[in-house]
Amino acid sequence: MSVDNNEKFLSRDEKIFAKMKEEAVALKSSALLGPIVETEVLKAKDLVSVIATVLAIKLDMKLLPYEPLRELCAAQLRDDENPGADIEAVVTRDPASISYLQVVLFIKGFHATQSHRVAAKLWSSGTFEGKASALAIQNRSSEVFGVDIHPAARIGGGLMIDHATAVVCFFSF
């Protein structure tokens, strides 16, 4: 069976991840981007692993340490179909977008959206720990990405927040 026939059986997220890996291979020799694509994309097992790692790198601080944050992001996004839809939305709608890899590594509107998706799942747990963790991620995301989305806000898939500066989305009780 050829690669093209095998591709028919891949999910959307698997196709996005395969394309990202192709894009990463093209950047392996880059002095600037080679190290990050080598360690965080080419050695990753799937799309969610890359997204969780990028979020943890960007949100990392003493109050939200890298490894627990990466594991939490991966767990919350693991069965969510929305991140792939969000990547496709940016790639297809944003004329400045050049690749799937660029979206996942460098588009802060995408990062803010994925941070919200993690926070929203934690919030929906209804537990004190879940809500407190959700608010911690929401706060840090607002500081880092300039986008403040309340964890109780419901956002569907295929979201693109262009430029993502001084954006506030709230939830009214």
Side-chain angles (χ1 to χ4, degrees):
M1 207 179 256
S2 73
V3 173
D4 291 340
N5 286 336
N6 286 333
E7 191 171 307
K8 287 191 284 190
F9 300 107
L10 296 176
S11 71
R12 178 201 56 218
D13 289 359
E14 290 169 331
K15 289 176 185 175
I16 290 171
F17 183 58
K19 182 66 177 162
M20 282 177 51
K21 286 184 95 161
E22 287 176 22
E23 295 164 355
V25 167
L27 295 173
K28 273 178 69 171
S29 62
S30 167
L32 180 64
L33 300 174
I36 190 77
V37 299
E38 182 72 39
T39 60
E40 308 308 338
V41 179
L42 295 174
K43 292 183 180 176
K45 67 178 187 172
D46 59 18
L47 179 61
V48 167
S49 297
V50 177
I51 294 170
T53 297
V54 171
L55 289 178
I57 289 168
K58 291 184 174 279
L59 298 175
D60 179 36
M61 62 182 281
K62 280 188 177 184
L63 290 174
L64 299 173
Y66 169 79
E67 191 57 35
L69 185 58
R70 187 191 62 73
E71 290 173 7
L72 181 68
C73 290
Q76 300 308 308
L77 295 175
R78 182 67 52 210
D79 296 319
D80 191 338
E81 294 185 14
N82 291 318
D86 297 336
I87 294 167
E88 285 192 333
V90 177
V91 168
T92 58
R93 294 183 207 146
D94 186 351
S97 174
I98 62 168
S99 72
Y100 293 108
L101 185 63
Q102 176 226 6
V103 172
V104 173
L105 293 181
F106 304 119
I107 301 294
K108 71 178 183 167
F110 175 76
H111 300 144
T113 302
Q114 302 323 301
S115 296
H116 167 71
R117 295 198 187 291
V118 171
K121 283 201 175 177
L122 292 167
W123 183 269
S124 70
S125 75
T127 67
F128 178 73
E129 179 184 357
K131 288 186 173 191
S133 297
L135 291 171
I137 290 171
Q138 177 250 341
N139 174 266
R140 183 66 177 149
S141 178
S142 176
E143 292 171 348
V144 173
F145 307 126
V147 177
D148 193 347
I149 307 172
H150 192 281
R154 294 178 188 239
I155 297 176
L159 178 66
M160 180 185 91
I161 304 176
D162 200 13
H163 300 283
T165 299
V167 175
V168 177
C169 301
F170 61 92
F171 173 80
S172 181
F173 293 95

